[in-house]
Amino acid sequence: MADAGMLRFHVPEPEVRPGGTPDFSNVPIPKAGSVPRPEIDVDPRTIRDHAFSIIRVLNRTGEAVGPWAGLLSSDELLAGLRHMMTLRTFDARMQMAQRQGKTSFYMQHLGEEAVACAFRKALEPGDMNFPTYRQAGLLIADGYPMVTMMNQIYSNEADPLKGRQLPVMYSSKEHGFFSISGNLATQYIQAVGWAMASAISNDSRIAAAWIGDGSTAESDFHSALVFASTYKAPVVLNVVNNQWAISTFQGIARGGSGTFAARGLGFGIPSLRVDGNDYLAVHAVAKWAAERARSNLGPTLIEYVTYRAGAHSSSDDPSAYRPKTESDAWPLGDPIVRLKNHLIALGVWSDERHAQAEAEILDTVIAAQKEAESHGTLHAGGKPSTRDMFEGLYAEMPPHLRRQRQQAGV
Amino acid sequence: MPRRTMIEAIRDAMDVSMGRDDKVVVFGEDVGFFGGVFRCTQGLQAKYGKSRCFDAPINESGIVGSAIGMAAYGLKPCVEIQFADYMYPAYDQLTQEAARLRYRSNGDFTCPIVVRMPTGGGIFGGQTHSQSPEALFTHVSGLKTVVPSNPHDAKGLLIAAIEDPDPVIFLEPKRLYNGPFDGHHDRPVTPWSKHELGEVADGHYTVPLGKAAIRRAGSALTVLAYGTMVYVAQAAVEETGIDAEIIDLRTLLPLDLDTIVASVRKTGRCVIVHEATLTSGFGAELSALVQENCFYHLEAPVARVAGWDTPYPHAQEWDYFPGPARVGRALLETMGA
């Protein structure tokens, strides 16, 4: 027993701050292939350890090992690599476009490409994602046109959202991508509701909820877990733990719970932790959870352990709160490099082909960018009409809005 | 025609809607097996099954948030918040999500939900069973806000709200659930069976959203009221003998401005009454609209009678509730008497 003197207030701190040497030695990284793969109808109480370990498939030499390996063909893996590379190139170009003043804002996915790109491939057509602002990989991996994404980022005349939304807040029902909101965590419980509706309707479609480590502290995270648990909703509850919520390290949201996956245990929800930079592991775990949901076995919580290698957004400077080289020290490496090495080890890829693919992807993204910019950028060229500002709020425009539209002269 | 209480009328509206459209689902706290703490959903679970009418965890944000997800899927949830006083945990979902989903997705996703909430005071409900938060909804673009004052309207408006393609906040004055109430708390309450607006047709009918009703035609002054205050205004008009026109707004947003403006231009005077607190209450919006649209017809300042700017007290219920005496004084003052 410590001395029972005055109370002392506890505020968690990250291990290292700017100027310090990055150190992840306290992050236990289990060996690839070491975590068992349970049956999908497992009793969650018997896989408690899965919420504290990390499911990994790719080992250091780029081999796929263990019970979670073997689900994807090399063609599927090559496609996955291309999706991740495309997202990274897209990010770099859009980040630059923001710096050039072509739009007001951008958010990159650097280092997290595997999470959404691999997850998307575990879903079926008709399933619905409820993403945050950092899952554009869901769109890229589903073949959503990059030009349309850019049109939204530029708020130009071809913007499908008519200039009403901040950049990166995409929406595509057709591609199973729910409208993104600026309000953190709200989508998490909405995803559960969508899944409940699918069950109420005796449908076979499932929902996927997305949230970051920081936003798990929002009350809607708790709401979602309660409702998913109560109604056994066919939903996959994804937590992307990229270690950072803007400047706040994950320990502030996580507190003493050890892992975010552990949060699911108290709700009786099977909860797994997975290497978020391992495309094969992400896909395998997502597939497991999707199968559970579709088999009417209820929700699964998945924590993706990854690292936010880029700034939080184009308005953020991470060097003010973490070491500049911290991402290089991240023990789970880079998802693109790791899948690339695996494909090389399989003998279906090479450094030359990789360099060639990079060049091709860059050309494709630049061509898309040119086309998008022909429709305008935020401050130049074609833009949505002022009239669009008044349209679409209600199914039918009420009289007071009609009056205001007339006052605005449109 | 059968007579029903407002509770029965509201239940009938959900029954009719669930019978006509299997996309309509009803849920909330104690709404399922038990049939609601006010009996508004009694029998619905037995009739339509647990997947159409069910109990929810005590989590208002969860109730509204899950309803939004269901609506995005294609259902038409009609959910209940047990008291309007407890909607605040759901305010984020209502204002930032339900209200904006159609707009922000350019119609890719829509939110045809109804959120029912018992509202208003006059029942010794104290601070958290008496509030009238309508102004917190009318200020939100993208929401519609409805307050019925009688069983006939309650059923027709609720069916219209359920069928409406946009999110509707449906505030039910719980003081009116069993009978009209004019603020005379010392007199026995008459049941709806004795009131003509307790006549509620069987089957499907709607009362359109966005249309006010003139409860009493008059030429001397216009009273703008809704919910319980419609009856308080009627009592005050009878007791003062002023030939007032009483407009029951029924829908606060979209507002039936044409009916209001036509009346005030005719009478030249306007008194606005609501239970909610005065400052930045919905009465302020009504007053501004009357002033903007009827300035050259006004013969007296627009008056507002409202709850005081305090939390709703318990022991001081009848000092707080804007009863017929207070409304009557405002009528007389506005007439220059």
Side-chain angles (χ1 to χ4, degrees):
Chain A
M1 201 60 185
D3 65 294
M6 284 183 293
L7 294 169
R8 287 179 305 277
F9 183 55
H10 173 67
V11 181
E13 270 294 324
E15 299 280 329
V16 192
R17 285 296 194 183
T21 307
D23 180 12
F24 289 107
S25 58
N26 63 332
V27 181
I29 307 293
K31 272 179 68 173
S34 64
V35 179
R37 184 182 189 281
E39 294 300 317
I40 58 166
D41 59 354
V42 66
D43 179 344
R45 288 171 298 185
T46 64
I47 56 161
R48 188 182 173 280
D49 289 351
H50 282 68
F52 298 93
S53 190
I54 302 178
I55 295 165
R56 305 179 64 230
V57 171
L58 293 175
N59 68 14
R60 278 188 200 175
T61 54
E63 292 165 314
V65 296
W68 296 87
L71 290 182
L72 291 165
S73 70
S74 47
D75 278 351
E76 287 169 323
L77 291 173
L78 285 167
L81 181 67
R82 188 165 278 267
H83 294 146
M84 293 198 287
M85 292 168 73
T86 302
L87 178 57
R88 186 167 293 185
T89 307
F90 182 94
D91 273 347
R93 295 296 301 186
M94 290 296 101
Q95 174 79 8
M96 201 192 308
Q98 190 277 336
R99 293 293 187 245
Q100 292 165 340
K102 291 173 179 172
T103 188
S104 62
F105 182 72
Y106 191 68
M107 303 182 95
Q108 299 190 79
H109 306 76
L110 193 65
E112 300 176 39
E113 291 89 348
V115 176
C117 288
F119 185 90
R120 176 69 244 188
K121 290 300 169 189
L123 295 182
E124 300 287 334
D127 294 342
M128 184 64 69
N129 284 285
F130 286 73
T132 77
Y133 46 65
R134 222 186 294 279
Q135 275 87 45
L138 296 170
L139 289 173
I140 298 273
D142 201 50
Y144 187 78
M146 269 190 288
V147 178
T148 313
M149 293 170 76
M150 290 169 174
N151 289 336
Q152 195 281 326
I153 291 163
Y154 287 143
S155 284
N156 64 22
E157 66 188 10
D159 173 6
L161 307 183
K162 304 285 183 188
R164 295 174 191 148
Q165 271 276 51
L166 266 183
V168 314
M169 308 251 175
Y170 316 104
S171 174
S172 175
K173 191 175 195 170
E174 192 191 339
H175 287 268
F177 192 94
F178 185 73
S179 157
I180 295 178
S181 169
N183 292 57
L184 299 177
T186 49
Q187 73 284 348
Y188 220 58
I189 175 65
Q190 292 163 3
V192 176
W194 196 98
M196 288 163 67
S198 184
I200 286 169
S201 308
N202 304 127
D203 199 347
S204 59
R205 295 183 286 161
I206 64 168
W210 292 89
I211 203 166
D213 46 275
S215 303
T216 60
E218 291 279 7
S219 43
D220 278 340
F221 176 71
H222 175 264
S223 304
L225 266 58
V226 173
F227 277 62
S229 167
T230 299
Y231 302 111
K232 294 196 188 306
V235 60
V236 183
L237 300 160
N238 297 307
V239 178
V240 183
N241 176 7
N242 67 16
Q243 315 298 319
W244 291 96
I246 307 186
S247 74
T248 308
F249 95 112
Q250 47 111 358
I252 293 285
R254 175 175 50 73
S257 70
T259 71
F260 292 97
R263 300 265 194 237
L265 297 177
F267 294 86
I269 297 173
S271 304
L272 312 174
R273 264 177 121 224
V274 58
D275 179 347
N277 292 8
D278 180 339
Y279 186 95
L280 286 82
V282 169
H283 175 267
V285 171
K287 196 92 185 158
W288 188 88
E291 206 182 320
R292 257 183 59 77
R294 222 180 295 281
S295 308
N296 216 33
L297 293 164
T300 304
L301 190 146
I302 305 172
E303 175 184 346
Y304 303 88
V305 183
T306 182
Y307 184 85
R308 194 197 78 208
H312 165 70
S313 74
S314 57
S315 309
D316 175 48
D317 173 15
S319 69
Y321 51 81
R322 69 184 191 190
K324 279 184 177 166
T325 55
E326 195 176 78
S327 68
D328 301 334
W330 176 242
L332 296 175
D334 178 298
I336 292 179
V337 173
R338 286 175 65 195
L339 182 55
K340 173 192 164 197
N341 289 342
H342 174 58
L343 289 165
I344 291 173
L346 285 180
V348 298
W349 200 238
S350 65
D351 282 318
E352 296 72 39
R353 288 172 75 175
H354 194 81
Q356 194 190 336
E358 270 178 342
E360 282 168 18
I361 288 166
L362 182 60
D363 284 349
T364 312
V365 175
I366 289 174
Q369 193 176 0
K370 264 197 173 143
E371 189 186 335
E373 289 179 10
S374 76
H375 298 293
T377 58
L378 181 60
H379 300 297
K383 55 171 71 173
S385 76
T386 309
R387 207 179 159 87
D388 282 326
M389 181 170 72
F390 294 96
E391 304 281 349
L393 180 58
Y394 297 90
E396 245 181 83
M397 190 177 291
H400 70 283
L401 268 186
R402 278 206 302 277
R403 286 192 293 274
Q404 289 174 27
R405 192 182 68 190
Q406 283 159 7
Q407 281 171 17
V410 290
Chain B
M1 203 181 285
R3 298 218 170 185
R4 290 178 164 93
T5 66
M6 197 188 264
I7 290 167
E8 290 162 345
I10 286 164
R11 184 195 306 150
D12 196 33
M14 284 184 272
D15 190 355
V16 167
S17 299
M18 292 172 90
R20 283 166 61 94
D21 185 352
D22 60 14
K23 290 185 165 57
V24 177
V25 293
V26 168
F27 63 101
E29 296 156 19
D30 303 297
V31 159
F33 181 82
F34 179 57
V37 295
F38 292 106
R39 320 310 299 150
C40 287
T41 56
Q42 191 171 30
L44 295 179
Q45 185 177 82
K47 185 167 176 183
Y48 296 100
K50 284 203 290 185
S51 63
R52 299 283 307 283
C53 176
F54 53 91
D55 290 317
I58 302 176
N59 184 326
E60 289 76 14
S61 175
I63 291 168
V64 174
S66 62
I68 293 168
M70 289 181 192
Y73 175 91
L75 299 187
K76 290 182 173 180
C78 176
V79 301
E80 179 181 302
I81 302 293
Q82 203 159 78
F83 288 88
D85 315 60
Y86 301 134
M87 68 83 186
Y88 300 94
Y91 199 59
D92 188 29
Q93 289 285 351
L94 288 169
T95 58
Q96 314 261 50
E97 298 294 318
R100 309 236 188 99
L101 186 54
R102 177 189 293 277
Y103 187 74
R104 75 172 196 232
S105 71
N106 192 29
D108 202 18
F109 296 93
T110 61
C111 190
I113 67 171
V114 177
V115 184
R116 295 179 39 245
M117 307 179 195
T119 188
I123 57 150
F124 281 98
Q127 295 188 23
T128 55
H129 300 81
S130 308
Q131 295 172 29
S132 298
E134 61 270 16
L136 296 174
F137 299 118
T138 55
H139 190 59
V140 179
S141 49
L143 296 179
K144 296 180 178 179
T145 302
V146 175
V147 191
S149 70
N150 59 75
H152 169 268
D153 284 2
K155 178 175 171 182
L157 287 166
L158 183 52
I159 293 175
I162 291 169
E163 291 173 0
D164 195 276
D166 291 309
V168 180
I169 306 296
F170 197 84
L171 294 162
E172 301 167 1
K174 56 186 157 322
R175 178 70 239 204
L176 301 180
Y177 269 158
N178 290 305
F181 178 67
D182 65 6
H184 284 295
H185 52 93
D186 46 348
R187 299 178 192 167
V189 174
T190 54
W192 280 114
S193 58
K194 298 227 172 17
H195 196 284
E196 59 176 6
L197 289 169
E199 285 191 348
V200 177
D202 289 330
H204 179 269
Y205 72 88
T206 59
V207 171
L209 305 187
K211 293 274 176 255
I214 295 173
R215 296 294 172 209
R216 183 192 189 281
S219 59
L221 179 152
T222 300
V223 179
L224 303 180
Y226 49 91
T228 308
M229 299 314 290
V230 170
Y231 304 98
V232 175
Q234 281 175 349
V237 165
E238 279 164 31
E239 287 156 25
T240 55
I242 293 167
D243 182 25
E245 182 147 291
I246 299 174
I247 298 178
D248 176 356
L249 298 175
R250 299 201 288 199
T251 303
L252 306 190
L253 198 100
L255 183 69
D256 187 355
L257 187 61
D258 292 346
T259 297
I260 295 169
V261 169
S263 177
V264 177
R265 285 186 180 174
K266 179 179 75 176
T267 62
R269 290 178 165 86
C270 182
V271 175
I272 297 158
V273 289
H274 59 58
E275 287 183 64
T277 49
L278 181 76
T279 300
S280 303
F282 190 62
E285 180 64 28
L286 291 170
S287 175
L289 286 168
V290 167
Q291 191 271 140
E292 285 164 18
N293 289 279
C294 311
F295 184 77
Y296 296 106
H297 297 78
L298 284 174
E299 293 167 36
V302 177
R304 286 183 289 160
V305 185
W308 308 118
D309 283 337
T310 71
Y312 206 111
H314 184 241
Q316 302 91 337
E317 174 86 84
W318 305 117
D319 301 318
Y320 183 90
F321 184 91
R326 257 171 76 197
V327 175
R329 278 200 297 280
L331 298 179
L332 291 167
E333 278 167 23
T334 303
M335 292 308 295

